[in-house]
């Protein structure tokens, strides 16, 4: 009961307020009202009719009743009350859709009725009877309605005087077919239906049907029967024109207001979401979809580079979609969308397409409309906005204009984000470089001089002890203290250099990972006094101008440099090793690095053990140092492990894909 009440409450909002079904209501009231008029008229005149005429009247009443019932079921206004009255099986468009149709039979049988693009938008004026995209079928339906009404008025002419035209009880009933054609095809359709209807009137006047009493044609009777139909056609077509003009005006007004609101929402999203690229793209995609009233919207960022004279294939770097509702899965495929994006990225031209849906009668002219617009940066396609909807027509100019306005806004926001990030990185890099220079010219030089002086004093003390054996016992405490100072000074110098490398930008210009690790091994060997050997297998591959690959290689190189740095520090401080081996292996899709020492080995604890333990072993190898190395590798989808070597010592291993 509540659903029925809700349906009747929505009638004013869907008909009288919007006027979209006004022709249907007028037509149905007219046709059924005039049919009841004919029924009452025949019942009242039955005593005065001959038995053959009574039989003819009953047949005509039955025919017109069936006709009125059929056109009522064929009227768009019936969809308010019986939206699922007609069901049609959908035929698969191709073999790719077969699985979807077999797994979702209920959805495949769903009828998509004409709907406005938004809840607050004026829908198109619906004709009294449903129309399709098949012109021939419409001509048959509307023409058959004219023929039936014409035959009814022709055979019902003998019921009155004169025995043709307006004297027939079905004359007004037949005028409704002119009303139908005028609202569906305006002046041309209405006047054409009026001419066809008048042909039956004139035919009845000059060629009376069987059973007609002889009569003399009067000019006023003929004029009265001929004038009504064209007048009804003109008035109906004029009313249809007024309704459509009002609807178009209202829709233009609503479109302008809606577009302004959409631009405002998109602008707010671009401003508030400028700190997070993914969040910005997701929110912008949803706002653009709503603003343009698309069933699905796609935002794609492309990576399109050039290497020499050869142009590389465009790659989808980021793919965001919004609005893929469950009811549209059978019509819209993400794989097809990615194919269209790649085509637009290669061609660099806008793509507009309209693919009719193969749903038989249920499709009613609906198709999948697509609109893909590329936006350029530095002469290359950088951003593509794609819109998809199931509609009866391709996308209009207003949709193209909407995407053409919001696209550059999104592109400018993304570029501003990139420049902001780049500025922050450059500022941080410059500051790190400044601090590293200050440390190098200040603290590092002082620590280096302290280390040299300590080594000189230690060497001098040892020579004195060797030269005067009687004083060796006296100088022993001094030489021990000086040896410790030498070790401490070297460790301080190594720590200072380590901090300098931490602050110093790692990858700049043409510096490769091999060169970085070579310099690192030499620096470690010079400061620590431990032999450090670097073995390289394979060759480091170039990026060929691919910025995305360059950024990935820089991240991997930074992680490997930091992990090697931490492993060398641990080997120098705690392993008691006599030498260190760094093995760098370039794989086709990854980079491996091993740092081996021949020290006392490690009794490692798992990373999940208590990190608050006070022992040095736990602090170094199950604390922040080990965790930091592991996190650096895992952040780049790599693997990390610390193994005990059978011959003694430890091996730090990591493998990171590139």
């Amino acid at each position: 009961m509540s659903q029925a009440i809700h349906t009747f409450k929505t009638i004013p909002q869907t008909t009288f307020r919007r006027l979209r079904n006004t022709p249907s209501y007028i037509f149905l009231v007219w046709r059924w009202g005039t049919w009841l008029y004919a029924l009452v008229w025949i019942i009242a005149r039955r005593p005065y009719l001959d038995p053959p005429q009574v039989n003819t009247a009953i047949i005509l009443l039955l025919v017109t009743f069936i006709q009125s019932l059929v056109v009522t079921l064929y009227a768009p206004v019936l969809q308010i009350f019986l939206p699922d009255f007609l069901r049609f099986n959908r035929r698969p468009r191709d073999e790719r859709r077969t699985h979807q149709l077999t797994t979702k039979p209920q959805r495949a049988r769903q009828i998509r009725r004409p709907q406005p693009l938004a809840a607050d938008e004026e829908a198109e004026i619906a004709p009294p009877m449903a129309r399709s995209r098949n012109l021939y079928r419409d001509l048959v339906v509307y023409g058959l309605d004219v023929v039936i009404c014409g035959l009814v008025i022709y055979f019902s002419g003998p019921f009155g005087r004169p025995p043709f035209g307006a004297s027939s009880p079905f004359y007004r009933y037949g005028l409704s077919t002119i009303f139908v054609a005028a609202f569906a095809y305006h002046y041309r359709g209405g006047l054409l239906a009026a001419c066809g209807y008048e042909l039956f009137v004139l035919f009845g006047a000059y060629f009376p049907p069987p059973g007609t009493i002889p009569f003399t044609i009067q000019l006023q009777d003929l004029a009265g029967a001929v004038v009504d139909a064209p007048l009804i056609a003109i008035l109906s077509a004029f009313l249809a024109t007024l309704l459509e003009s009002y609807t178009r005006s209202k829709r233009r007004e609503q479109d302008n207001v809606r577009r302004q609101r959409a631009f405002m929402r998109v602008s707010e999203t671009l401003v508030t979401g400028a700190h997070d690229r993914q969040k910005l793209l997701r929110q912008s995609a949803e706002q653009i979809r709503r603003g343009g009233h698309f069933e699905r919207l796609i935002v794609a960022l492309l990576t399109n580079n050039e290497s020499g004279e050869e142009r590389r294939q465009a790659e989808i770097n980021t793919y965001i979609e919004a609005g893929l509702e469950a009811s549209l899965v059978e019509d819209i495929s993400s794989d097809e969308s990615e194919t269209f994006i790649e085509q637009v990225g290669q061609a660099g031209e806008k793509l507009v397409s309209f693919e009719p849906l193969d749903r038989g009668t249920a499709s009613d002219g609906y198709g999948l409309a697509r609109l893909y617009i590329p936006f350029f940066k530095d002469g290359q396609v950088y951003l593509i906005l794609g819109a998809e909807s199931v509609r009866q027509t391709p996308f209009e100019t207003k949709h193209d204009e909407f995407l053409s306005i919001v696209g550059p806004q999104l592109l400018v926001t993304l570029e501003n984000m990139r420049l902001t990030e780049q500025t922050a990185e450059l500022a941080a890099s410059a500051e790190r470089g400044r601090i590293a220079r200050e440390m190098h010219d200040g603290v590092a030089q002082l620590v280096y001089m302290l280390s040299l002086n300590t080594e000189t004093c230690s060497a001098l003390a040892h020579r004195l002890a060797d030269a005067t054996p009687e004083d060796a016992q006296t100088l022993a405490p001094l030489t021990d203290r000086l040896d410790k100072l030498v070790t401490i000074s070297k460790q301080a110098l190594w720590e200072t250099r380590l901090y300098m490398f931490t602050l110093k930008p790692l990858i700049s210009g043409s510096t490769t990972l091999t060169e970085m690790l070579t310099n690192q091994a030499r620096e470690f060997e010079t400061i620590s006094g431990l032999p450090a050997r670097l073995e390289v297998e394979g060759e480091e591959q170039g990026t060929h101008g691919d910025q995305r690959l360059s950024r990935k290689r820089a991240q991997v190189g930074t992680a490997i440099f930091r992990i090697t740095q931490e492993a060398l520090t641990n080997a120098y401080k705690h392993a008691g090793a006599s030498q260190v081996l760094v093995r760098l292996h370039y794989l086709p899709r990854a980079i491996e690095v091993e740092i081996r020492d021949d020290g006392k080995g490690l009794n490692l604890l798992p990373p999940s053990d208590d990190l608050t333990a006070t022992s040095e072993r736990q602090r170094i190898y199950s604390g922040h140092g080990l965790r930091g190395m592991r996190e650096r590798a895992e952040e780049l989808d790599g693997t990390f492990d610390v193994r005990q070597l059978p011959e003694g010592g430890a091996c730090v291993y990591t493998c990171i894909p590139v």
Side-chain angles (χ1 to χ4, degrees):
M1 181 63 68
S2 60
Q3 181 64 31
I5 295 175
H6 175 73
T7 301
F8 279 98
K9 284 183 177 180
T10 59
I11 292 177
Q13 283 74 31
T14 56
T15 56
F16 300 118
R17 184 173 67 85
R18 298 192 178 187
L19 304 178
R20 70 179 301 267
N21 284 317
T22 298
S24 296
Y25 278 108
I26 294 177
F27 162 68
L28 294 179
V29 171
W30 188 327
R31 178 154 287 194
W32 283 106
T34 53
W35 183 86
L36 291 175
Y37 168 79
L39 175 63
V40 173
W41 191 94
I42 291 174
I43 292 176
R45 295 293 304 273
R46 181 177 180 180
Y48 306 100
L49 298 177
D50 298 334
Q53 291 180 336
V54 173
N55 295 333
T56 302
I58 294 174
I59 295 175
L60 294 179
L61 284 173
L62 182 61
V63 171
T64 52
F65 175 80
I66 296 175
Q67 182 191 18
S68 300
L69 183 61
V70 171
V71 296
T72 299
L73 299 178
Y74 204 59
V77 72
L78 184 70
Q79 296 176 357
I80 297 177
F81 302 99
L82 299 175
D84 298 325
F85 179 77
L86 297 176
R87 290 184 178 271
F88 300 91
N89 289 325
R90 175 185 173 184
R91 296 188 302 271
R93 181 165 45 187
D94 50 39
E95 294 182 358
R96 183 178 52 79
R97 304 290 179 105
T98 303
H99 177 68
Q100 297 179 354
L101 292 174
T102 55
T103 56
K104 301 178 181 179
Q106 297 297 329
R107 185 175 298 163
R109 294 170 59 88
Q110 180 181 359
I111 298 175
R112 186 183 295 275
R113 304 192 308 274
Q115 296 289 342
L117 293 177
D120 59 342
E121 184 181 37
E122 288 292 329
E124 297 289 349
I125 294 296
M129 290 195 301
R131 294 176 58 188
S132 68
R133 293 291 172 179
N134 191 330
L135 179 61
Y136 299 103
R137 188 178 70 178
D138 290 340
L139 290 177
V140 170
V141 172
Y142 284 85
L144 186 62
D145 191 62
V146 173
V147 170
I148 293 176
C149 291
L151 291 176
V152 168
I153 189 178
Y154 175 76
F155 286 105
S156 63
F159 297 168
R161 292 294 177 179
F164 67 92
S167 61
S168 169
F170 292 97
Y171 179 75
R172 295 170 182 80
Y173 174 86
L175 291 177
S176 61
T177 190
I178 302 171
F179 180 90
V180 168
F183 262 98
Y185 299 100
H186 294 203
Y187 290 100
R188 290 179 297 179
L191 292 176
L192 185 62
C195 292
Y197 187 69
E198 293 296 349
L199 288 178
F200 287 95
V201 174
L202 295 176
F203 189 77
Y206 291 99
F207 303 96
T212 303
I213 300 176
F215 66 97
T216 301
I217 300 178
Q218 300 294 328
L219 182 60
Q220 61 273 19
D221 296 332
L222 188 61
V226 172
V227 172
D228 292 345
L231 184 61
I232 290 294
I234 294 174
L235 292 178
S236 300
F238 178 70
L239 179 59
T241 303
L242 287 180
L243 289 176
E244 289 191 356
S245 177
Y246 164 77
T247 303
R248 285 195 299 268
S249 176
K250 191 68 177 293
R251 292 188 67 178
R252 283 196 299 268
E253 178 183 354
Q254 292 176 342
D255 282 341
N256 292 334
V257 174
R258 189 180 299 107
R259 289 181 65 181
Q260 294 299 326
R261 292 177 180 175
F263 289 145
M264 182 178 65
R265 288 194 298 266
V266 171
S267 300
E268 292 176 352
T269 301
L270 295 179
V271 173
T272 58
H275 61 281
D276 188 341
R277 185 185 301 271
Q278 291 296 327
K279 180 179 179 181
L280 170 69
L281 293 177
R282 287 193 298 269
Q283 293 182 351
S284 299
E286 182 61 26
Q287 293 295 344
I288 295 173
R289 184 191 72 84
R290 293 179 181 178
H293 302 293
F294 307 117
E295 291 184 343
R296 183 166 178 242
L297 187 104
I298 302 164
V299 178
L301 299 181
L302 302 186
T303 301
N304 199 343
N305 305 291
E306 293 184 359
S307 176
E309 299 296 331
E310 180 183 359
R311 181 171 177 174
R312 302 188 62 179
Q313 184 178 3
E315 296 180 357
I316 301 177
N317 188 13
T318 304
Y319 182 90
I320 302 294
E321 61 183 29
L324 187 59
E325 301 174 1
S327 60
L328 303 176
V329 173
E330 57 178 332
D331 296 324
I332 300 178
S333 172
S334 298
D335 295 337
E336 291 182 353
S337 302
E338 293 183 6
T339 302
F340 281 109
I341 288 175
E342 293 176 355
Q343 293 178 0
V344 174
Q346 289 295 322
E349 298 179 355
K350 177 176 62 178
L351 184 146
V352 182
S353 66
F354 183 79
E355 183 181 357
L357 300 179
D358 188 8
R359 291 185 174 182
T361 309
S363 64
D364 198 21
Y366 276 91
L368 180 56
R370 289 188 174 96
L371 174 61
Y372 290 83
I373 300 181
F375 299 92
F376 295 84
K377 172 186 161 184
D378 299 332
Q380 299 288 345
V381 178
Y382 178 72
L383 170 68
I384 294 179
L385 293 182
E388 297 179 349
S389 293
V390 176
R391 301 163 48 89
Q392 286 185 314
T393 59
F395 282 122
E396 304 172 9
T397 305
K398 64 180 182 181
H399 300 103
D400 191 343
E401 294 176 350
F402 179 77
L403 293 182
S404 299
I405 293 175
V406 299
Q409 294 181 2
L410 182 58
L411 187 62
V412 170
T413 303
L414 292 173
E415 182 65 12
N416 289 339
M417 291 179 63
R418 187 189 67 83
L419 293 177
T420 302
E421 294 172 355
Q422 185 176 3
T423 302
E425 292 177 359
L426 291 176
S429 177
E431 183 64 15
R432 289 195 301 266
R434 186 189 67 82
I435 297 174
R437 287 193 301 271
E438 294 294 333
M439 292 183 63
H440 178 272
D441 298 336
V443 177
Q445 295 296 332
L446 294 177
V447 173
Y448 180 68
M449 294 300 297
L450 176 62
S451 177
L452 287 179
N453 289 325
T454 304
E455 288 186 34
T456 302
C457 293
S458 177
L460 182 58
H462 281 287
R463 281 200 298 271
L464 290 175
D466 294 339
T468 56
E470 61 277 4
D471 295 333
Q473 196 70 19
T474 305
L475 294 175
L478 176 62
T479 56
D480 292 340
R481 291 294 182 92
L482 289 176
D483 289 340
K484 291 182 179 179
L485 285 177
V486 169
T487 303
I488 294 174
S489 62
K490 286 186 176 182
Q491 184 174 348
L493 181 60
W494 172 250
E495 293 285 350
T496 304
R497 294 294 181 91
L498 185 149
Y499 294 143
M500 289 171 53
F501 277 108
T502 301
L503 293 170
K504 187 178 178 181
L506 292 178
I507 296 181
S508 59
S510 59
T511 304
T512 64
L513 179 59
T514 302
E515 294 173 351
M516 290 165 51
L517 295 186
T518 300
N519 295 332
Q520 188 181 44
R522 290 174 180 173
E523 186 79 15
F524 174 80
E525 186 174 15
T526 301
I527 295 175
S528 66
L530 295 179
R533 183 162 51 93
L534 175 66
E535 294 182 358
V536 181
E537 298 181 14
E539 294 183 358
E540 187 171 1
Q541 299 178 358
T543 60
H544 305 289
D546 191 333
Q547 297 180 0
R548 183 181 63 85
L549 185 58
S550 297
R551 290 193 297 269
K552 178 67 173 178
R553 291 283 178 84
Q555 294 173 349
V556 173
T558 300
I560 290 178
F561 182 89
R562 298 299 192 199
I563 292 172
T564 304
Q565 186 180 62
E566 182 71 20
L568 291 175
T569 301
N570 291 336
Y572 172 62
K573 286 182 178 180
H574 311 287
S578 60
Q579 63 178 357
V580 180
L581 171 64
V582 179
R583 179 176 296 168
L584 180 64
H585 187 193
Y586 291 104
L587 299 175
R589 297 187 178 274
I591 299 178
E592 289 182 348
V593 65
E594 290 183 359
I595 302 93
R596 295 170 173 258
D597 64 70
D598 59 352
K600 57 187 177 182
L602 307 170
N603 184 15
L604 297 175
L605 295 177
S608 60
D609 284 353
D610 183 13
L611 301 181
T612 62
T614 58
S615 69
E616 184 177 326
R617 174 176 56 84
Q618 292 171 331
R619 180 176 62 82
I620 296 299
Y621 294 102
S622 64
H624 297 288
L626 180 60
R627 177 183 298 172
M629 289 189 285
R630 186 182 303 277
E631 289 178 352
R632 287 185 185 276
E634 292 179 351
E635 283 177 358
L636 298 174
D637 299 327
T639 58
F640 176 82
D641 188 21
V642 179
R643 299 190 295 264
Q644 184 86 15
L645 296 177
E647 63 274 13
C651 174
V652 176
Y653 169 83
T654 185
C655 179
I656 303 178
V658 294

